[in-house]
Amino acid sequence: MRFISNFILVFLSCFIAKAQNPANYADIDKRPVDYILPLGKNGLKETYFMMNARVKITRWEKKATVRVSFDFVAGIAENSDPPFKFMYQYNNKYYGNQHLGKESFNGIRVDRDFTKFKVTVMGYGKSKTLEVPRGEYFFLEFDNTNIDANKISIFFPEVTYIAFTGTRQIEDKIRNLEKSNEQSKNSDIKKTESETNAGNNQNNTKNQATRSQNNNTKQEGEKNNYTGNSASSSNRGKKENPANKSAYQDKSTNAQASANKSDKVIKNSNISLDGVSTFFKDQSGNYYQKIDKNSFKKITKEEYDAGRAAIQENKIQSEQTKKNNDKRFADSVKQSIQQSSDRFFEETQKSHARIERDGNLMMANYYAAKEVGNIKNEMQSSSKLKNRYESVEELENDFKAKMGSLSGSSERLASAQNQKLQSNYEYQFRDADATGRAMGEAVVGLGNVFNSISAEKEAEKARRELKEAREEALKKMRVEQKENMINLRRKLFTTFSNGGLPLSSHRVASRVVYLFSYSFNTDQISNEKPNIKITNVFPITKTNDDTWPFQNSISNDLKKVFNEQEITLFGYFADENKINEMYESFTRMAKQSGMNVQTFTFKGRPLKNSTIANNEQPNSDFLGNPVNKSSDKENRNNTQSNDKVDFFGNPIKNGQQIEKSNKTNPKDKVDFFGNPIKN
């Protein structure tokens, strides 16, 4: 009971504990293993082990290795935890504490360095089995660092070799016991043989005693005649001596008493007729029967022959009895050997069945644990989204699909965990008694409740993580979209950068070039929907003196059109179709980059006139200087007269340049174009 209670506590603690991150270490304590000694070996018939194992995960780069170290505690007579069975196997015979006493088992130990176990390590779809003594060994390698030590399973399906120490005392007692049993057995055989012979001798002795009683009178008469004849012979040669006669009479009386005494012995004792010396005859042909060491009785020839026949019959019966006893002993040995053989094959069959059962339970436990791992991996995978999506629609579709897969995950996980718990119960309590199995079933019932709660928590956690991943993905997508939009805008402005008008030195063959212009405030480039102003494609024509207008003049006109100070002239192109294609691309990309496109009309400097948008007169000349209508008329009138004018259209009188009406003070400093320079 104490063993089962300790196991349940450890089992529950391992069941409830759950690592948040992949663990590098995991301790597996109190794993019971029993071992039955095969026939032909001497030692404890059955040994119980308590295995302690530890899983160690080593990670480097993108790989992980699994190393397992294990040790054991074997049951001993002085301590019942682990259990100890008082049964010793010696020369295929079993001896318990009822034969040897419990103290005989004290001091027997399992050799810790030579005992070997079959160790199976499983996890993440891989398994490996080694046959090794206690220590630390390498088992598995993975091309993945996300390996959790708590998800590695260890099994000890078999003890492949066992060695004992401290067995001399108990084996000496067994040998002494066997010697004593052999002596007792031989004594029993002799006793049985003696009892058989005694029964036969008793019958023969009764018959012989009857015959002896019938002949007492006759023997007495013969003895008296023999005495009388002797006396007559003596008297004939010599006078009878009274003293001798008295002595002879005493001797005769003693012989008669001895004969009577021997009759009594023959009747009431079990004298073994084991030799011909019991009955013999002298040289005169007289027959005698030996009563004891110094006493004899004279018998008839018939008694002599009957006694000799009884001896021979007893000898035959003794030989037959010995044969029967030998046969019974041989049959007993054969039966013992057959029983030992039957026990060996029965235990071998049970051992194979137990190994097969344990293997099936172990594999069921492994596959149940693997199914739990697969479902958890699916839930973990479903709680995450891809690193990149092309659109919000793609993100939403993936989110809905994974949320749907998580809808029934809690029930599947709880079912798989219950199956794993049931498999653990079947394996760990496979040899438990009714009380132990009842306690195990209670653990399973309690575990099912825990599984349902933990599975729902796992599913809720996965759904929460999926929603958080969705929000994070949306946020990331918005940031990426904004960055991409800004980069697209920058690339657009870099591609369509400021160009300009040609110079006379460029020697452009065409008299007309085409451009378009746009205005954008670069401070607003990161805004969600900034404004961009774009003109149409407009022409710029050479002036009458075969020169191109100055860029400042065109820029000033465009600034007024856009009402902006930052403008960009894109061009120039001699091919109008080409710049139209570029204009379409720029407008389209500006819209795609999230900018609000505003279009403006600018006529530029056509071939026939130099007017700008809305047929208005230009507010500046080609140098960019402001003009008014009156001065423009005067310039036109002066141009139409015969007066000579300089390069800037000012009339020249008497070889001198006529000053403008707005001529500055001669003392004021002016630039190359005659404009005053402010201090």
Side-chain angles (χ1 to χ4, degrees), residues 162-184:
I162 191 170
F164 297 97
T165 61
T167 59
R168 182 174 180 178
Q169 175 185 355
I170 193 169
E171 290 186 356
D172 287 343
K173 280 196 172 184
I174 291 174
R175 284 189 287 268
N176 293 334
L177 179 63
E178 287 183 342
K179 185 176 180 180
S180 176
N181 290 339
E182 186 67 24
Q183 293 175 352
S184 177

Side-chain angles (χ1 to χ4, degrees), residues 179-206:
K179 185 176 180 180
S180 176
N181 290 339
E182 186 67 24
Q183 293 175 352
S184 177
K185 187 175 182 180
N186 293 334
S187 176
D188 291 341
I189 292 175
K190 288 182 178 180
K191 182 177 180 181
T192 302
E193 181 180 353
S194 177
E195 289 176 351
T196 303
N197 293 336
N200 295 330
N201 290 338
Q202 186 175 5
N203 294 330
N204 294 331
T205 303
K206 287 181 179 180

Side-chain angles (χ1 to χ4, degrees), residues 421-570:
L421 183 60
Q422 184 67 29
S423 299
N424 280 332
Y425 160 73
E426 294 292 343
Y427 180 77
Q428 300 297 343
F429 290 86
R430 60 192 184 279
D431 295 322
D433 55 13
T435 303
R437 294 189 68 85
M439 296 179 68
E441 290 175 358
V443 172
V444 172
L446 184 61
N448 290 337
V449 177
F450 288 159
N451 284 336
S452 300
I453 297 174
S454 63
E456 183 58 34
K457 288 183 177 179
E458 290 276 353
E460 181 61 29
K461 178 184 177 183
R463 288 191 289 267
R464 184 175 63 256
E465 289 179 353
L466 180 60
K467 291 179 181 179
E468 292 174 354
R470 174 198 180 194
E471 296 300 325
E472 187 66 23
L474 286 173
K475 183 179 179 180
K476 183 179 179 181
M477 183 177 293
R478 294 188 189 100
V479 172
E480 289 181 353
Q481 286 178 345
K482 186 173 182 178
E483 290 178 354
N484 293 337
M485 198 72 70
I486 293 173
N487 292 334
L488 180 61
R489 292 169 184 174
R490 286 183 179 141
K491 187 175 181 180
L492 177 65
F493 295 143
T494 301
T495 303
F496 292 85
S497 60
N498 197 18
L501 295 174
L503 300 176
S504 298
S505 60
H506 290 168
R507 297 182 180 181
V508 179
S510 176
R511 293 188 59 82
V512 180
V513 294
Y514 299 93
L515 306 91
F516 68 85
S517 178
Y518 63 86
S519 176
F520 181 77
N521 185 359
T522 55
D523 294 338
Q524 299 179 359
I525 193 169
S526 60
N527 291 356
E528 183 176 356
K529 201 168 184 67
N531 293 324
I532 182 171
K533 300 176 180 180
I534 308 175
T535 68
N536 57 297
V537 175
F538 55 85
I540 298 296
T541 308
K542 279 186 176 182
T543 60
N544 293 333
D545 56 358
D546 203 27
T547 60
W548 296 101
F550 287 99
Q551 183 171 337
N552 286 343
S553 175
I554 304 300
S555 297
N556 288 335
D557 291 342
L558 289 170
K559 288 178 181 179
K560 294 177 181 179
V561 172
F562 290 138
N563 194 22
E564 300 287 349
Q565 294 300 314
E566 294 183 9
I567 66 168
T568 300
L569 276 173
F570 180 75

